[in-house]
Amino acid sequence: MTLLADLAQALIRGDRLQVSELTCQAIAESMSPKAILDDGLLAGMKVVGVRFREREIFLPEVLMAARAMYAGMGPLKPLLVAEGVPSQGKVVLATVRGDLHDIGKNLVGIMLQGAGFEIVDLGFDVGPAAIVQAAKDHGVEVIGMSALLTTTMPAMREVVDLLRAEKLDGDVRTIVGGAPLSEEYARSIGADAYAPDAYTAVDVVKRLAGVA
Amino acid sequence: MIVEIGVAEVVPDRSAVLAAMDVSGGAQARPHLDELADSALRAFAKTAAPVGIVADASREEFAEIYAGAPGNAPDSVVADVFPRAEALSLFVVTLGSATSEAVARGFAEHDFAAAAVLDAVASEAADRAAEVVERRVERRLRDEGRLGGDGVALRYSPGYCGWNVGGQAALFRRLEPERIGVRLTDGGFMRPEKSVSGVILAGPRSIHRVTPTYPFCASCVAHGCRVRLRALFGRGTSVGPETPA
């Protein structure tokens, strides 16, 4: 088995110490940082995603793999930046105004970073104007919005309307999620997509960002 | 009245923790998941300090508190039930801040799985703390002869079933839960995070009978009310399909 296949397997097991060790070994052997990322870390996360969708593994195991991913990214990130390797894309994440439930949004952020996206996490109780402004400031491809309370969901529509008003809706796509939401609700407010869970969100964001 | 609550009264067991993380059947034999849950339960036992505060209120007092919430739905479950209640108690429970701080620390240190499982333990425990207070209020009312054999006490919280979450402000002014370390932020959120507020409405079982066809029910996926209604009135009660939250 090659070093990068070993790296992918260690990530799948959620073995962060071995992921860190193998990443450093791959760097020491002068492997390309992009190959280490693509064929080691991201390849492992892809398998984790498939197994999660098939319900062969569960959220805590996905999060263990995500932690291992971070352990590998530690030594790798400076090299990727130095080589100008682009990320998969940039995503603004926020729990909308009036809502403080951010665990789901945090999980989406962890998964997206594990899939190679850069995340601008605005936190919770974020107003529509601040979300749109952050999207403009950071030049993101996707805005992800979360809500747990039915009373706060309408703030998502305000973001979609604001993007339209500023003629940004062609460049910045929107994805919504949270316990009380549905595909139908996403459509009704004009959002581009809905995801029922954090891992589905990764696939949907990849599609929205054009990197699927 | 401040209500002391023991950690043992609110702590969920391992299977409830794993179920809350959507870990089902096939994962029963995974020792690393069991260890993750056990570790979170140990962390919870070290950090949680559950406590509650309760105050009785008259229907008129509660009507004023309810009316003070901006953005209540025109029709709501609480608005329909509380005029029929024979006893009303305002409550706030909290687990204290140390567990939430441990969760935040876990995420900051990229220990995502441990942090997420501890958060799930705390969410489950906060709800159980509210349940403990609900049961104690019910027992007290029975002991005082204010609740008959058919009587039931059930809790209702701002943010659910048409009672706007802004209702917490008026509730806090009356209850002063700052005495147990709970405050509202400028945005109207409770701190510590793992806290639950609301009103316990008690009376004959029939006062809680509602038909969950309010306008906001259409966008609700929790369906906790259906579970409660079936528990109260029997499985055959026509309240719509029961979907897990």
Side-chain angles (χ1 to χ4, degrees):
Chain A
M1 194 179 277
T2 68
L3 177 57
L4 294 184
D6 283 347
L7 176 57
Q9 284 302 318
L11 187 138
I12 292 163
R13 288 195 306 276
D15 186 341
R16 70 190 166 93
L17 295 178
Q18 196 170 16
V19 165
S20 176
E21 199 177 298
L22 292 174
T23 303
C24 290
Q25 190 183 331
I27 292 168
E29 291 182 12
S30 300
M31 288 186 177
S32 133
K34 188 166 185 335
I36 299 170
L37 178 67
D38 289 347
D39 302 333
L41 299 176
L42 290 180
M45 283 306 285
K46 194 172 179 183
V47 173
V48 169
V50 170
R51 289 189 179 172
F52 180 68
R53 266 193 302 275
E54 299 294 325
R55 294 190 65 78
E56 291 174 14
I57 62 172
F58 298 91
L59 182 61
E61 291 160 309
V62 175
L63 294 173
M64 289 162 82
R67 187 188 194 190
M69 175 85 187
Y70 272 69
M73 284 303 288
L76 195 58
K77 198 164 187 179
L79 303 177
L80 292 167
V81 172
E83 290 204 352
V85 176
S87 73
Q88 297 277 66
K90 277 189 192 173
V91 181
V92 157
L93 291 179
T95 299
V96 297
R97 184 185 59 211
D99 212 317
L100 83 168
H101 298 90
D102 66 350
I103 190 104
K105 181 262 299 168
N106 292 345
L107 294 179
V108 170
I110 290 164
M111 303 291 189
L112 284 171
Q113 287 190 67
F117 284 89
E118 286 179 63
I119 301 301
V120 181
D121 189 342
L122 303 181
F124 56 83
D125 189 23
V126 187
I131 293 173
V132 171
Q133 189 60 49
K136 288 194 286 190
D137 291 346
H138 295 276
V140 305
E141 288 88 0
V142 180
I143 292 174
M145 292 175 278
S146 170
L148 189 73
L149 302 174
T150 52
T151 48
T152 59
M153 288 157 52
M156 295 174 165
R157 183 193 293 271
E158 290 181 46
V159 172
V160 173
D161 290 346
L162 204 50
L163 285 172
R164 281 191 185 140
E166 300 203 16
K167 301 193 187 319
L168 291 169
D169 52 321
D171 300 321
V172 182
R173 315 296 296 282
T174 50
I175 174 172
V176 296
L181 277 87
S182 63
E183 186 87 50
E184 188 185 2
Y185 183 78
R187 268 199 304 272
S188 76
I189 64 170
D192 294 300
Y194 158 78
D197 58 61
Y199 226 100
T200 307
V202 174
D203 288 342
V204 175
V205 168
K206 279 182 178 173
R207 179 169 55 76
L208 293 176
V211 293
Chain B
M1 179 178 58
I2 291 175
V3 182
E4 300 297 334
I5 303 170
V7 172
E9 292 181 275
V10 301
V11 67
D13 62 18
R14 183 204 285 162
S15 61
V17 175
L18 292 174
M21 295 299 294
D22 204 23
V23 175
S24 58
Q28 292 301 318
R30 294 188 187 200
H32 62 286
L33 291 181
D34 289 347
E35 173 49 34
L36 200 57
D38 291 346
S39 173
L41 289 167
R42 284 192 297 272
F44 178 78
K46 276 187 200 163
T47 54
V51 64
I53 188 166
V54 180
D56 288 349
S58 66
R59 270 195 293 266
E60 292 70 27
E61 283 174 313
F62 182 72
E64 206 170 302
I65 288 168
Y66 182 78
N72 285 334
D75 297 308
S76 83
V77 178
V78 179
D80 286 347
V81 175
F82 91 80
R84 307 195 290 248
E86 293 176 355
L88 301 85
S89 300
L90 311 175
F91 76 95
V92 171
V93 295
T94 184
L95 300 179
S97 59
T99 307
S100 293
E101 286 163 8
V103 170
R105 208 163 40 243
F107 277 114
E109 292 169 359
H110 298 166
D111 196 358
F112 308 124
V117 176
L118 180 56
D119 186 78
V121 171
S123 294
E124 182 75 19
D127 202 45
R128 288 177 184 219
E131 172 92 20
V132 166
V133 168
E134 180 185 275
R135 296 281 68 81
R136 287 195 196 172
V137 166
E138 185 177 281
R139 194 164 60 235
R140 174 172 58 85
L141 292 172
R142 278 192 209 289
D143 290 347
E144 293 171 355
R146 296 165 64 194
L147 195 61
D150 175 56
V152 175
L154 280 186
R155 63 187 186 279
Y156 299 80
S157 290
Y160 297 93
C161 300
W163 185 7
N164 192 280
V165 72
Q168 287 180 146
L171 199 145
F172 268 53
R173 279 194 294 276
R174 170 70 171 76
L175 197 53
E176 297 178 348
E178 294 81 2
R179 288 182 285 159
I180 58 166
V182 183
R183 63 180 180 85
L184 278 186
T185 66
D186 291 342
F189 303 127
M190 282 189 287
R191 288 288 184 271
E193 283 173 40
K194 298 301 179 186
S195 305
V196 180
S197 69
V199 63
I200 297 165
L201 303 177
R205 188 167 300 245
S206 59
I207 71 164
H208 299 289
R209 187 182 278 282
V210 292
T211 306
T213 51
Y214 297 86
F216 48 80
C217 296
S219 58
C220 176
V221 295
H223 302 312
C225 67
R226 296 177 184 175
V227 176
R228 293 205 320 186
L229 286 167
R230 283 208 174 87
L232 277 185
F233 301 109
R235 292 206 60 78
T237 308
S238 176
V239 291
E242 215 172 89
T243 308

